[in-house]
Amino acid sequence: MIDADLDGGVIKQRNARPGQGMSGGSRSIILFKKDNRAVFVHGFEKKDKANIGPDELEAFRRYSEIYLGYSKAQIAQRVEDGALLKVEKPKGEDNA
């Protein structure tokens, strides 16, 4: 479930803190293309920052064009170079 679609392949997800719920938790900015790729690019605590600004959103949209446009080979090369970190679910966990 997507909390906020900010257009241009940029979404914002709310993350709950244990015992505090979603409203006071953190936020994640993710570059996202359904059935293809999700790239975490930024996180912030709601208590420290209400939201991202227009300049930040525009930059994330530009990043989205780049990162979501990479081929699998280009992603693999960026991971090998250390420019990106690949995160995978632990073995034995399903997508639920």
Side-chain angles (χ1 to χ4, degrees):
M1 181 167 100
I2 295 173
D3 285 324
D5 185 340
L6 305 178
D7 293 323
V10 180
I11 63 172
K12 180 170 65 174
Q13 291 296 115
R14 299 182 312 157
N15 309 300
R17 278 193 266 162
Q20 294 186 11
M22 295 284 222
S23 63
S26 63
R27 306 294 186 255
S28 297
I29 303 298
I30 301 166
L31 310 179
F32 181 76
K33 187 172 184 181
K34 185 178 178 181
D35 298 326
N36 183 332
R37 178 173 305 138
V39 180
F40 171 84
V41 290
H42 182 61
F44 59 96
E45 293 290 329
K46 179 74 173 179
K47 67 179 177 64
D48 297 332
K49 182 178 183 176
N51 208 344
I52 60 172
D55 291 344
E56 291 172 296
L57 178 57
E58 186 56 37
F60 292 137
R61 287 178 178 155
R62 286 193 306 265
Y63 294 149
S64 177
E65 289 179 31
I66 296 166
Y67 290 113
L68 299 181
Y70 281 159
S71 68
K72 288 183 180 184
Q74 288 172 309
I75 288 288
Q77 185 63 53
R78 299 308 183 281
V79 170
E80 185 177 320
D81 293 345
L84 294 175
L85 175 66
K86 185 174 183 177
V87 178
E88 298 184 82
K89 66 182 175 184
K91 292 186 188 270
E93 286 192 15
D94 61 14
N95 287 329

